[in-house]
Amino acid sequence: MSDKKVRVRFAPSPTGGLHLGGVRTVLFNYLFAKKYKGDFVLRIEDTDQNRYVEGAEQYILDCLKWCGITPDESPVVGGQYAPYRQSERKPIYREYAERLIAQGHAYYAFDTPEELDAKRKEIPNFQYGHAHRYELRNSLNLPLQEVEALLHANTPHVIRIKMPQDDTISFNDMIRGYVSFDTNQVDDKVLLKADGMPTYHLAVVVDDYLMKITHAFRGEEWLPSAPVHLLLWEFLGWKAEMPEWAHLPLILKPDGHGKLSKRDGARLGFPVYAMNWLDKKTDELTPGFRELGFLPEAFLNLLAMLGWNDGTDQEIFSLDELIEKFSIERISKAGAKFDFEKAKWYNAEWIKRTDAESLKLKVWEILKENGVTVTDEAYLLKVIDIVKERCVLLPDFYQQSAYFFQQPTEYDINSVKPKWTDAKTDFFNALVTALPELDSFEPAAIETRFKALAEEKGLKVGELMLPFRIMLVGGKFGPHVFDIAALLKPSETIIRIEKALEAFTS
RNA sequence: GGCCCGUUCGUCUAGGGGUUAGGACGUUAGAUUUUCAUUCUAGAAACAGGGGUUCGAUUCCCCUACGGGCUACCA
């Protein structure tokens, strides 16, 4: 690696929500930048006005924020190389495209999309390249005067790169190693569109150069166009400053074939986007990991492990640990099928490892959404500690802890009523009187008294535990029943026993 | 079709010329938990196939198969 300051960029196109693969690209960029104390740049690639979606850029910003990833330079915080939105850089690109034409590395093409469509239908495997470019309407084979006349008349045109013939373009990918391409197989990609906007190919090269990007991470789907980019770096005379490339393996559908898409989420019942995305045109909501109840730490963790590991058996990593341990050499080459079950496991692990204090706000929010008001913060923290090991997703906290804040409204009556006896009623009435007399309301003390009382009444403890639980909780779940009683305090425990007794005996 | 990339349990992966091919998720069985979850123990489960190279290949090379990506005035 050179001694230049590391600079990487995440360059999304604002066309909708950010999916798993996108966030993982952000993550790997970020990890690499921070590992080498470099800069992480956010650049918005909004060169396609047809696909531009309102709100998508804000979504990307919000998403990075949720993940705890802060860009050093971006459209909002600015930076030395502003603007960071390609649409705002529009005038820059034409100059470079013209320069390529002057050097003979690019040319004007006047063919309309319709004409090209017709060609594609007419000629099998049609490519706008060395085989056909001299039959088409471009500055390569039109007389100079005609080209000038067309240009002068503002005839819609694009600028295409002129791919060299019979050449091999190769480079060393940080993940894949040596990769090479035959230039005859690559077509003359459009560099500048008829609307004056650059295509990705031109924009990425120009901006990476201007923004002094040293390492370029992107999805493997970009590998086939790498030769175009490589050539552009060379033609523009910037080869010495070209970033090192890393083409990340793709995240694939869990079942069948192909890369993971938004549709798969709906089909398979798990989120594909980082956060909820509402399409304003169709009103269609694409669910996100955040809203489903994932912790950002878990989300990042599981994404990092999709195609990377540190060489040990460790699977749980914090963002700081990832930065410390990250290495490109350990990124795998093959695509990874996404497994939602494992994703949930990561979240459960993170919930278990996160202290109540850090979970507090999120749990409070979830309870509130479900109509449970929490006023005692210390009590909430105790509840979180006692139930968090049985929560996989954040919303599980509602089901697992609502009864700590409100009395059960329904009882799993079928689990108690058939086996109910007057002796049991007698026992619980006795318990009601015994409880307030306890010196300590610690779980162990309650348990001791509970068992002693059962013995006095000649009842089996086992037959009383479940009814007691259902009295306090309403159902067959939750932490140890005496722990629950202890948290509930004697007064509330007694109220619940009495209330349940009515339901059980009526 | 063409070009490019890839291929270890169902899934994510470790490993690497001689290993009982390791871990994790999931799964199965058992223990603990007088509920559920957790936790613990044990089990089933993989080197795509064929040729080389080699004393020896899952590991290196080639071919095939399969998978994936690209093949737009989309990124």
Side-chain angles (χ1 to χ4, degrees):
Chain A
M1 218 162 77
S2 78
D3 50 5
K4 272 191 295 185
K5 182 173 194 191
V6 167
R7 286 177 56 80
V8 303
R9 71 336 190 233
F10 174 56
S13 184
T15 55
L18 251 197
H19 63 88
L20 290 171
V23 184
R24 194 188 52 171
T25 305
V26 179
L27 180 61
F28 284 6
N29 264 293
Y30 181 77
L31 294 179
F32 185 81
K34 293 305 138 190
K35 166 126 197 151
Y36 295 105
K37 311 264 184 278
D39 297 327
F40 171 66
V41 178
L42 173 67
R43 183 174 73 217
I44 301 295
E45 309 225 333
D46 55 349
T47 55
D48 185 355
Q49 72 274 56
N50 299 317
R51 293 215 308 159
Y52 180 81
V53 176
E54 191 71 37
E57 183 184 316
Q58 189 56 48
Y59 176 101
I60 290 162
L61 260 10
D62 292 345
C63 185
L64 294 187
K65 193 174 176 191
W66 178 59
C67 292
I69 291 176
T70 313
D72 297 296
E73 295 163 32
S74 77
V76 289
V77 299
Q80 204 184 335
Y81 304 94
Y84 292 93
R85 236 175 247 119
Q86 289 182 332
S87 58
E88 294 169 14
R89 302 170 65 79
K90 185 176 173 183
I92 299 173
Y93 309 105
R94 179 140 209 137
E95 176 199 334
Y96 294 104
E98 299 281 359
R99 189 155 117 195
L100 290 165
I101 292 180
Q103 295 167 158
H105 293 308
Y107 57 90
Y108 299 107
F110 303 95
D111 322 86
T112 64
E114 294 72 31
E115 285 167 352
L116 292 176
D117 277 349
K119 280 282 179 197
R120 290 193 183 95
K121 280 188 189 125
E122 178 194 332
I123 305 165
N125 300 326
F126 171 83
Q127 279 209 133
Y128 206 124
H130 68 281
H132 299 288
R133 64 181 163 227
Y134 294 102
E135 316 158 357
L136 293 149
R137 301 181 61 229
N138 55 54
S139 62
L140 251 25
N141 63 332
L142 252 26
L144 188 58
Q145 301 93 313
E146 197 179 334
V147 172
E148 277 173 2
L150 285 167
L151 252 21
H152 192 73
N154 283 325
T155 311
H157 64 275
V158 301
I159 293 175
R160 288 180 180 270
I161 185 172
K162 186 184 172 193
M163 286 302 287
Q165 227 173 306
D166 303 325
D167 202 357
T168 300
I169 306 289
S170 65
F171 73 104
N172 210 47
D173 187 276
M174 289 187 283
I175 294 171
R176 272 145 232 290
Y178 179 82
V179 183
S180 73
F181 302 86
D182 174 357
T183 55
N184 293 343
Q185 300 292 339
V186 186
D187 59 351
D188 294 349
K189 290 271 181 264
V190 170
L191 264 20
L192 203 74
K193 299 184 262 189
D195 64 2
M197 278 288 194
T199 58
Y200 172 84
H201 307 296
L202 212 217
V204 76
V205 172
V206 168
D207 287 344
D208 281 353
Y209 168 74
L210 261 15
M211 296 182 180
K212 299 197 170 6
I213 299 305
T214 58
H215 301 263
F217 292 79
R218 61 188 359 177
E220 195 190 344
E221 72 267 28
W222 289 107
L223 201 47
S225 49
V228 178
H229 310 321
L230 258 353
L231 241 21
L232 252 16
W233 277 93
E234 190 183 321
F235 292 161
L236 260 1
W238 304 330
K239 208 171 179 184
E241 283 124 301
M242 188 173 75
E244 288 200 58
W245 298 98
H247 289 91
L248 267 17
L250 265 15
I251 297 178
L252 277 8
K253 298 176 197 289
D255 58 346
H257 317 289
K259 59 175 172 176
L260 193 61
S261 75
K262 183 173 94 174
R263 295 260 163 259
D264 298 312
R267 186 169 58 84
L268 273 7
F270 61 79
V272 165
Y273 281 178
M275 313 181 305
N276 275 2
W277 169 257
L278 180 68
D279 186 320
K280 284 176 189 159
K281 281 187 189 134
T282 63
D283 233 32
E284 181 194 2
L285 180 81
T286 309
F289 280 85
R290 181 178 70 175
E291 287 77 3
L292 228 159
F294 274 78
L295 253 17
E297 293 86 349
F299 184 55
L300 254 23
N301 193 162
L302 71 94
L303 246 23
M305 300 313 284
L306 234 37
W308 178 85
N309 69 80
D310 76 338
T312 72
D313 286 342
Q314 185 176 346
E315 293 197 89
I316 304 298
F317 294 87
S318 66
L319 187 53
D320 285 343
E321 265 180 301
L322 287 172
I323 291 170
E324 185 197 328
K325 307 268 178 69
F326 186 70
S327 67
I328 297 184
E329 302 74 52
R330 297 208 60 87
I331 296 177
S332 45
K333 295 182 176 73
K337 288 184 184 169
F338 179 68
D339 180 0
F340 190 51
E341 291 305 319
K342 183 112 189 199
K344 284 192 289 190
W345 174 79
Y346 277 106
N347 204 54
E349 284 297 312
W350 270 99
I351 288 179
K352 272 185 279 185
R353 287 158 196 254
T354 304
D355 57 70
E357 183 62 35
S358 312
L359 255 14
K360 185 179 69 183
L361 249 31
K362 282 164 178 157
V363 175
W364 183 80
E365 191 74 25
I366 282 159
L367 290 173
K368 191 181 160 201
E369 278 166 19
N370 286 284
V372 180
T373 325
V374 181
T375 47
D376 186 342
E377 186 182 316
Y379 181 63
L380 174 63
L381 291 176
K382 283 183 191 162
V383 170
I384 291 174
D385 267 326
I386 207 176
V387 303
K388 68 178 183 180
E389 72 185 20
R390 55 202 78 212
C391 295
V392 173
L393 299 170
L394 257 11
D396 293 344
F397 273 101
Y398 168 64
Q399 204 263 356
Q400 290 295 335
S401 63
Y403 57 86
F404 280 106
F405 303 94
Q406 45 191 216
Q407 293 172 2
T409 47
E410 279 177 31
Y411 297 102
D412 183 352
I413 206 89
N414 292 331
S415 297
V416 282
K417 215 166 178 183
K419 286 180 264 178
W420 198 255
T421 59
D422 287 344
K424 288 182 182 176
T425 305
D426 183 41
F427 168 84
F428 281 104
N429 278 326
L431 188 63
V432 165
T433 15
L435 254 18
E437 293 161 7
L438 252 30
D439 297 333
S440 153
F441 210 65
E442 289 301 306
I446 306 168
E447 182 171 359
T448 308
R449 191 70 193 90
F450 188 95
K451 286 182 174 168
L453 196 58
E455 199 170 329
E456 283 170 35
K457 300 283 176 186
L459 288 166
K460 284 182 191 158
V461 177
E463 287 173 16
L464 300 166
M465 295 284 276
L466 190 61
F468 190 33
R469 166 176 299 282
I470 290 172
M471 285 171 161
L472 303 183
V473 175
K476 290 192 278 187
F477 63 91
H480 296 296
V481 69
F482 298 113
D483 289 344
I484 299 175
L487 259 185
L488 248 22
K489 299 277 185 277
S491 55
E492 180 65 19
T493 303
I494 288 165
I495 290 170
R496 292 195 184 190
I497 293 172
E498 287 175 334
K499 190 182 164 203
L501 235 28
E502 281 179 38
F504 291 0
T505 53
S506 64

